Amino acid sequence: METVHSGNKKITILDVAEALNVSKTTVSRAISGKGRISEDTRQKVLAYIEANDYKPNVIAKGLAQKKTYNIALVIPGDCNLVDMPFFQNSMQGICEEASANDYDVMLVTTTGSSSANLERMIVNNKVDGVILSRALVKDQNILLLKAQSIPFVLMGTSQDAKILQVDNDHRAGCSELVRHMLSRGSTRIGLIGGSRNVVVNQTRRQGYEDAFRNAGIRLENTLIFEDCDRTDKIRTAVERLVRENVQGIVCMDDVVCSIVLQILAEREILVPQQIQVASFYDSTLLKNSRPAVTSLLFDDKALGALTCRVLLRYIQGEKVEAKTLLGYKLVIRESTLVC
Amino acid sequence: METVHSGNKKITILDVAEALNVSKTTVSRAISGKGRISEDTRQKVLAYIEANDYKPNVIAKGLAQKKTYNIALVIPGDCNLVDMPFFQNSMQGICEEASANDYDVMLVTTTGSSSANLERMIVNNKVDGVILSRALVKDQNILLLKAQSIPFVLMGTSQDAKILQVDNDHRAGCSELVRHMLSRGSTRIGLIGGSRNVVVNQTRRQGYEDAFRNAGIRLENTLIFEDCDRTDKIRTAVERLVRENVQGIVCMDDVVCSIVLQILAEREILVPQQIQVASFYDSTLLKNSRPAVTSLLFDDKALGALTCRVLLRYIQGEKVEAKTLLGYKLVIRESTLVC
DNA sequence: CTGAAAGCGCTTACAG
DNA sequence: CTGAAAGCGCTTACAG
């Protein structure tokens, strides 16, 4: 049993079987741990494999088992800067978790309307399951995945209880943030929201509403601006809110927030003295802003890892939670500190 | 030849062969287009496949051909916000190009020091080639890929001429940008640069130096600040440059630039009247900044697509350019418009 | 032009 | 406890 590093010729299961004078079956069993095998031969095989650097061909293994050991990660091709840290961080969590379970991650980008790339991946049998990284209100990808009846989990929230979901608890988080602002005598807190077609924006809005309800303060619809996905719309919203004499503005995300801060600065409105400002999502974008902005902090990497774990468990036939919510951290900074 | 949509039982090559009373070989040939086959039977097979929605199992095909029809995309797990649009956009270009060639993209995140995930992917035989999305000066991944002698192309620049490379022409772009600033009487333009361990930062610096050389202006090393990867370092650099009475500051990227703008604003230094500012990289981050910032614009999606195309051609044994540079666009905005 | 057969590198009943 | 054989779904010399 000598160690041979014979260039880059890949060694196969047959090679190790012959070298050890056992059958392929035995080698396979030693590796997989399935089936009866004596501890002796098992160690012998493992030692040889270790010494000769044998790596089973996962593709062949998959073919025999009708598995691929791949999962697909679907990310929207059209997301904006503010969403990127989320995708980036969750992506890393997913990759690491997958790796740890000997799975690999296939990347699929979809463009809002078309799920063509995802469909191709599925009909080509290249994946055992799928992670969706964002839900739209009417989601093509979800429709497709259900039709194909392929295991998938949504890293986000859906009204459809039959869909496996893992998400940050945006609703509770946003509610607590707004409660924080309402608790200091303020009753008029405006909301500048994002696209209503994106589920998470709806969820955040619900959190906003919860806070008012819990505090027994009447919700004024004139203080809520949705679909603010462009600077001009945000500008209009800010101007209206200023005219409405709001005591605070909550922004759907950091990009919205940085624009809001800028508009307020132009109009020489002091934050937080005249108007408090907070963001529902904390990225590095606001790290250098003055004043520092109160916002919610989520652990996106952990979210990705957990989502991946749920999918893999589901694929392996284990029982999984239908819906899991992860915690948040309310980070109070200067922008909501009224003296 | 009736169309059957029999639930979700996947149909195999054997099924279509039997239905048509031909051999698997014939079906295979009709699909691949390889080998002699009568146009008649070819059409017959193709029609049946179309009607019955047969999709060849790419995994099995790959096993037989010792291919995977997958490529790996390596992205750094530790990149900061400013790099994300680049990764996001190039990623999309890569995915689309791969899809168009019936290839799929596997995602690998690496953490500076460790190439473990990449290595796993390779020894597991899961990919035919690799795209590297960033080069470090001492790059672990490159070392690994060379050792494994697996096809790869770098979406970036390397001194090593033996590495296939596709990159934006950062050097020419940066040179032109600095020339633009020098051409208006200014001779003292400072540089605030990023990590010296990242190759592209070196390339940008070369462009900066080229501009001085071409203009016959002496380069002052006291105006060059590198490794400015934290706010405090940037602050120090800006303060020194202000004391040096520079007429302009070029920033390595948009994050650096937005911080620089902020610091100048705090000190009530007018841009561009007192100091011009420009960025070597244009992202959406500066879209809303006042004044609008002059910077370079690259087509990252096209870069990704081309990189992917080069890799696929190389894998298929075609001749490819050793190094390709893509163009840029100098976008002149208010921040460098001195009257 | 077409097909039988061997093979890609594994797994897994089945038999012993 | 171990192995021969069939099979996963394809491709591709080889022979006709």
Side-chain angles (χ1 to χ4, degrees), chain B residues 59 66 90 92 113 117 129 142 167 205 230 330:
Chain B
I59 305 277
K66 288 171 168 289
S90 56
Q92 218 195 327
S113 54
N117 288 338
I142 292 181
D167 202 1
R205 173 176 172 156
R230 289 198 328 255
L330 171 58

Side-chain angles (χ1 to χ4, degrees), chain B residues 310-337:
Chain B
V310 168
L311 177 61
L312 294 181
R313 285 216 287 250
Y314 182 68
I315 288 174
Q316 283 146 28
E318 297 177 33
K319 266 218 140 52
V320 297
E321 293 287 321
K323 177 161 189 171
T324 314
L325 286 178
L326 265 56
Y328 57 89
K329 218 167 175 169
L330 171 58
V331 185
I332 297 176
R333 303 201 181 91
E334 209 187 326
S335 71
T336 58
L337 289 183

Side-chain angles (χ1 to χ4, degrees), chain B residues 35 43 74 99 115 118 139 141 161 169 190 244 247 265 308 319 323 332:
Chain B
Q43 289 307 335
V74 181
S99 255
S115 302
L118 178 58
D139 202 302
N141 295 329
D169 196 345
E244 288 273 4
Q247 295 141 320
C308 186
K319 266 218 140 52
K323 177 161 189 171
I332 297 176

Side-chain angles (χ1 to χ4, degrees), chain B residues 128-147:
Chain B
D128 298 336
V130 176
I131 292 177
L132 250 35
S133 63
R134 182 182 67 178
L136 300 181
V137 171
K138 276 231 128 222
D139 202 302
Q140 289 294 322
N141 295 329
I142 292 181
L143 262 37
L144 175 67
L145 291 168
K146 287 183 121 175

Side-chain angles (χ1 to χ4, degrees), chain A residues 11 54-62, chain B residues 63 66 123-125:
Chain A
I11 190 178
Y54 164 69
K55 303 283 179 184
N57 181 324
V58 184
I59 304 278
K61 177 183 175 189
Chain B
L63 184 62
K66 288 171 168 289
V123 302
N124 277 349
N125 288 106

Side-chain angles (χ1 to χ4, degrees), chain B residues 25-26 29 36 38 41 64 66:
Chain B
T25 308
T26 300
R29 281 204 270 256
R36 312 194 71 70
S38 79
T41 59
K66 288 171 168 289

